[in-house]
C-alpha cells in the first residue's frame, strides 16, 4: 500500500513538474492544463430559477449579456468547471404555516427542475450526491450537479423535513437568508437579532444535519449564529459563498476572528464573486438606488402570486441591463483569497461564485470564464497544489469528513 501510494505521489510530482516547467507552453496553455487537471467545483449558483423559465435551455451555449444567465452545461465545460451546487433558494417570508408551505413547494419545484435538466441532457450532466459521485461523473466527461438549499425556511419547525430533503439529494443547507428564521439569526435582518444566535430548534437542526451528512452552510447567518454553529457542530462547516470582511466590510463576509475560528473547525470559506461582497458599492449611483428599491419590493415576495414574482425577476434582469454596474475584477476577488491564505493558510478557502444570484466580475462574468481565476492565482505564484486545493480539494476534504461522520454515527 505504501509503495502504491509512493508511486502515485511520484506520478503526480512528475505531472506537476511538467505543467510548471514546460518551456514551450503559452500562459494560456499552462493555465488550461493546470485548471483542467484539477477537480473544480463552484459551491453556489442560483441557476435553478432559470430552469423554471420554459424558454431557457441549459443544454445550449448562451452568450453572456447583463441580466442574462451565467451558467449552462456547455459554458461549464468551456470554463473547465467539473462540479457545481445548484441552490434551491427560497426567500424569507413571515413565518406562517401558509408561507412555510409555499416555500417548501418552491424548494421542491426547484429541486425537480434540477433533476429534469439532467434527465434531459444525460450526456452532459448528472446529479451527484456524494464525493465519489463527483469524481466519477468528471471521469465520464460530464458535469456533476449537486443540490444545496439556500435558506432553511422551508423546513419550518418540522425536523423530519431535513431527512426528506436529504433523500431528495440536498447536500448542504444555508441555515438562513437575509432575515431571521426559526433556525437562527441572519447577518442582515433589519430588526436585529431574535435569538442571539441559534434557536433551540436550530440546535436540533444542526444535530440532524450532522447525523445525516448534510454540510452546514454558515453564509448569511449572523456572527453570533456562526459562533454557536462552530461550538456545536460535530463536523467542519462551509461558508458556501462569502468573502473576507477585512477586505470588504460587509456583514455577509467573515471577519478575521471568524476566519481563524473556521480554520480551527477545519471548515472552508468559498470565495464569492458578487460585487458588493468583493468591493463596497457606490451608494450614490442610480444603479444602487434602483437595486435597493427592487430588493425592498422583493422582501414581500411571499405575498405575491407566481406571476408577480416572475415579474419581479424580469424587472431585476432588466435593471441589470439598463443600469450596468462597473464590476470588480478577478484581481479584486483574489485579494480576498490572498488575505484568507495569509491569515489561516491554504487549506481553508475555495470558490462559490453566486452566479445567477448576482455574482460575476468584469473579467469573469459567467461560467465560461472561470479559468481567469486560475490565471490570476498563477500570476501571484500560487503553486499547482495550492490551485487544486482552492478549486475543489479543500471543499471535497470537508465534504468527505461530513460523509464519514454520518457513516460512523449510523453504525
Amino acid at each position: 500500500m505504501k509503495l502504491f501510494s509512493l508511486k502515485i505521489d511520484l506520478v503526480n510530482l512528475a505531472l506537476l513538474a511538467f505543467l510548471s516547467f514546460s518551456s514551450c507552453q503559452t500562459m494560456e496553455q499552462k493555465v488550461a492544463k493546470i485548471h483542467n487537471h484539477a477537480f473544480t467545483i463552484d459551491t453556489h449558483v442560483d441557476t435553478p430559477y432559470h430552469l423554471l423559465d420554459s424558454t431557457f435551455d441549459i443544454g445550449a451555449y448562451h452568450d453572456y449579456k447583463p441580466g442574462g444567465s451565467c451558467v449552462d452545461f456547455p459554458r461549464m465545460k468551456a470554463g473547465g468547471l467539473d462540479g457545481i451546487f445548484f441552490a434551491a433558494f427560497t426567500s424569507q417570508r413571515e413565518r406562517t404555516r401558509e408561507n412555510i408551505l409555499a416555500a417548501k413547494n418552491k424548494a421542491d419545484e426547484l429541486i425537480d427542475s434540477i433533476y429534469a435538466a439532467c434527465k434531459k441532457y444525460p450526456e452532459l450532466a448528472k446529479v451527484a450526491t456524494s464525493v465519489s459521485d463527483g469524481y466519477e461523473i468528471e471521469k465520464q466527461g460530464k458535469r456533476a450537479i449537486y443540490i444545496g438549499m439556500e435558506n432553511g425556511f422551508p423546513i419550518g419547525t418540522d425536523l423530519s423535513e431535513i431527512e426528506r430533503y436529504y433523500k431528495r439529494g440536498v447536500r448542504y443547507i444555508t441555515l438562513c437568508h437575509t432575515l431571521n428564521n426559526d433556525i437562527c439569526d441572519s447577518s442582515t435582518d433589519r430588526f436585529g437579532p431574535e435569538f442571539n444566535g441559534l434557536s433551540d430548534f436550530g440546535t436540533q437542526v444542526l444535530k440532524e444535519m450532522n447525523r445525516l451528512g448534510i454540510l452546514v452552510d454558515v453564509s448569511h447567518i449572523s456572527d453570533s449564529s456562526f459562533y454557536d454553529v462552530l461550538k456545536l457542530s460535530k463536523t467542519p462547516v462551509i461558508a458556501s459563498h462569502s468573502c473576507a470582511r477585512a477586505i470588504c466590510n460587509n456583514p455577509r463576509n467573515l471577519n478575521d476572528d471568524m476566519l481563524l475560528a473556521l480554520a480551527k473547525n477545519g471548515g472552508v470559506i468559498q470565495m464569492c464573486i458578487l460585487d458588493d461582497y468583493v468591493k463596497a458599492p457606490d451608494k450614490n449611483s442610480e444603479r444602487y438606488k434602483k437595486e435597493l428599491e427592487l430588493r425592498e419590493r422583493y422582501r414581500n415576495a411571499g405575498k405575491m402570486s407566481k406571476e408577480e414574482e416572475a415579474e419581479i425577476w424580469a424587472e431585476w434582469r432588466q435593471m441589470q441591463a439598463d443600469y450596468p454596474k462597473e464590476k470588480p475584477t478577478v484581481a479584486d476577488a483574489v485579494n480576498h483569497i490572498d488575505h484568507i491564505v495569509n491569515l489561516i493558510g491554504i487549506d481553508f478557502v475555495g470558490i462559490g461564485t453566486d452566479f445567477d444570484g448576482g455574482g460575476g466580475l468584469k473579467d469573469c462574468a459567467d461560467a465560461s470564464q472561470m479559468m481567469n481565476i486560475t490565471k490570476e492565482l498563477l500570476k501571484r505564484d500560487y503553486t499547482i497544489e495550492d490551485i487544486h486545493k482552492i478549486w475543489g480539494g479543500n471543499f471535497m476534504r470537508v465534504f468527505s469528513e461530513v460523509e464519514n461522520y454520518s457513516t460512523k454515527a449510523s453504525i
Side-chain angles (χ1 to χ4, degrees), residues 128-138 146 396 399-400 403:
T129 58
S130 67
V131 170
S132 60
D133 279 353
Y135 294 136
E136 182 57 35
I137 293 168
E138 187 269 341
Y146 290 97
M396 297 302 265
F399 197 173
S400 293
E403 286 185 342

Side-chain angles (χ1 to χ4, degrees), residues 89-96 99-100 103 150-156 174-184 186 189-190 194 298-303:
F89 162 70
T90 53
S91 60
Q92 188 58 45
R93 310 165 182 178
E94 185 181 353
R95 282 147 36 202
T96 65
N99 284 344
I100 292 169
E150 186 177 21
N151 197 0
F153 178 52
I155 295 166
T174 315
L175 298 182
C176 70
H177 195 240
T178 55
L179 302 176
N180 306 334
N181 62 16
D182 286 307
I183 297 171
C184 67
S186 168
D189 193 296
R190 49 192 165 164
E194 181 177 345
Y298 187 69
R299 288 183 191 277
N300 297 316
K303 301 175 183 177

Side-chain angles (χ1 to χ4, degrees), residues 244-263:
R245 203 178 295 176
I247 303 297
C248 179
N249 187 17
N250 187 304
R252 272 280 287 105
N253 291 336
L254 274 57
N255 66 32
D256 284 0
D257 186 72
M258 295 167 80
L259 290 170
L260 289 165
L262 184 74

Side-chain angles (χ1 to χ4, degrees), residues 82-156:
D82 300 314
I84 201 166
F85 269 84
F86 278 5
F89 162 70
T90 53
S91 60
Q92 188 58 45
R93 310 165 182 178
E94 185 181 353
R95 282 147 36 202
T96 65
R97 182 180 298 179
E98 179 185 28
N99 284 344
I100 292 169
L101 178 60
K104 183 167 74 169
N105 290 339
K106 175 61 70 176
D108 284 338
E109 182 183 18
L110 292 165
I111 292 169
D112 287 343
S113 76
I114 296 167
Y115 281 100
C118 292
K119 184 177 180 180
K120 185 176 181 180
Y121 294 104
E123 74 284 5
L124 300 180
K126 185 176 180 181
V127 172
T129 58
S130 67
V131 170
S132 60
D133 279 353
Y135 294 136
E136 182 57 35
I137 293 168
E138 187 269 341
K139 286 179 184 177
Q140 297 170 10
K142 302 177 184 180
R143 307 306 111 186
I145 311 300
Y146 290 97
I147 302 171
M149 175 181 282
E150 186 177 21
N151 197 0
F153 178 52
I155 295 166

Side-chain angles (χ1 to χ4, degrees), residues 284-299:
N284 294 316
S285 69
E286 191 65 25
R287 158 69 184 239
Y288 183 80
K289 294 171 186 175
K290 291 289 184 182
E291 197 169 314
L292 275 186
E293 176 189 323
L294 272 179
R295 287 187 186 279
E296 189 60 33
R297 288 171 57 198
Y298 187 69
R299 288 183 191 277

Side-chain angles (χ1 to χ4, degrees), residues 145-166:
I145 311 300
Y146 290 97
I147 302 171
M149 175 181 282
E150 186 177 21
N151 197 0
F153 178 52
I155 295 166
T157 55
D158 184 352
L159 209 60
S160 68
E161 282 295 296
I162 301 172
E163 185 162 5
R164 187 178 76 84
Y165 282 117
Y166 178 83

